[in-house]
Amino acid sequence: MGEYWNIKPELEDSVKQHFSAPPEAEVELEFEVPEKDFNTAGRGSSEVKDLLKRLGVDSETLRRIAVASYEAEINLAAHSKGGVMSCMIYDDLIHLRFLDKGPGIEDITQAMIPGYSTADELVREFGFGAGLGLPNIQKNSDALHIQSAKGSSTLLELLIFFSAP
Amino acid sequence: MTLNEIKTLLDGEVLNLGPGLDALVPCAIASDMISDILMSCREPSLLLTGLTNNQVIRLSDMVDLVGIVFVRSKRPLDDIVEMARERNLPLIVTSKTLYTASGLLYNAGLRSSDI
Ligand SMILES: Nc1ncnc2c1ncn2[C@@H]1O[C@H](COP(=O)(O)OP(=O)(O)OP(=O)(O)O)[C@@H](O)[C@H]1O
Ligand SMILES: [Mg+2]
């Protein structure tokens, strides 16, 4: 079982606090992400961004959330047998969780390398497969956690604080 | 540079007008890879691309695109133009290649989006 963490050093305490005792979310949303369905993939991320915009989140934070969320949502459609995207909104942060039905990532450290991609022909035709999605998620998140193993499901979750610089 | 000047420089055809072609375009990005575009688009930008599928329009929900130029005469299907209409997103198609179109705009003073 592989596990990967990346937390912005200055936010370590708040992130640990969140994961050790998650409070009740103000809003919770869930979206199905079917395998290889690039007609609907991305809708969840669009909706989440719309909602946060109405809630008054600033545009730079909105962009970071939308980009990280979209990359993760597309990865479910592109590389897994489908899964669920869940979105938990709190006063000060958003927690996004992506849980799929496998086939898992054998080596997460390798998957994180910019340019590494196993995208197939169909996925590449849509313009995916640069191998930049996971690095892009890391760059835009305050905390990133990935748990996976070959032959099992992949869990990717991230936190973005609304007030973070 | 305005979208109208860009249309003229590229000898382009407008597929969707959006809010009009008088809008100022601050910078541009050219790519056929979606993650590459998402990574480079931190400010309002014009996108030049050979991609014509629905995810290219979906991108504009995530980052701030001021318009899309489709190169090498690649035309998106009607339902994709319709998606752009719903988003009020200008679309232009040109027969020029990605390299030529980018070069023409760069020479005319349109800078690259900051990464
Ligand atoms: N949910 C997942 N299930 C299984 N494998 C995954 C999953 N997400 C990512 N991967 C693996 O990690 C690799 C790198 O992912 P990343 O998002 O960085 O690039 P990509 O999806 O291949 O291309 P891009 O995101 O640039 O379009 C993928 O090619 C795939 O092998
Ligand atoms: Mg990806």
Side-chain angles (χ1 to χ4, degrees), chain A residues 70-87:
Chain A
Y70 175 79
E71 290 282 16
E73 189 179 353
I74 292 295
N75 275 356
L76 289 205
H79 307 297
S80 84
K81 295 176 200 144
V84 177
M85 157 180 171
S86 333
C87 159

Side-chain angles (χ1 to χ4, degrees), chain A residues 18-38:
Chain A
H18 178 84
F19 280 114
S20 62
E24 183 114 1
E26 305 274 326
V27 183
E28 280 198 55
L29 299 170
E30 241 182 52
F31 304 89
E32 283 284 335
V33 186
E35 177 178 13
K36 296 286 185 331
D37 180 355
F38 294 112

Side-chain angles (χ1 to χ4, degrees), chain B residues 81-96:
Chain B
V81 176
E82 184 53 38
M83 277 177 78
R85 212 163 274 141
E86 286 164 12
R87 289 164 175 77
N88 215 14
L89 178 69
L91 302 181
I92 294 171
V93 61
T94 174
S95 61
K96 308 206 184 300

Side-chain angles (χ1 to χ4, degrees), chain A residues 70-72 74-75 78-79 117 128-134 137, chain B residues 35:
Chain A
Y70 175 79
E71 290 282 16
I74 292 295
N75 275 356
H79 307 297
S117 177
F128 304 111
L132 291 174
L134 291 173
I137 294 170
Chain B
S35 292

Side-chain angles (χ1 to χ4, degrees), chain B residues 15-73:
Chain B
L15 298 179
N16 186 46
L17 197 54
L21 300 185
D22 298 326
L24 276 177
V25 179
C27 56
I29 156 145
S31 179
D32 285 349
M33 301 302 285
I34 295 213
S35 292
D36 201 22
I37 298 164
L38 285 172
M39 199 169 251
S40 315
C41 220
R42 305 193 57 171
E43 52 182 334
S45 306
L46 177 74
L47 170 65
L48 294 101
T49 188
L51 293 172
T52 53
N53 66 68
N54 69 83
Q55 290 297 331
V56 130
I57 311 290
R58 180 67 69 192
L59 271 185
S60 74
D61 293 348
M62 313 303 154
V63 292
D64 198 349
L65 297 182
V66 295
I68 302 179
V69 174
F70 299 105
V71 296
R72 231 191 285 132
S73 302

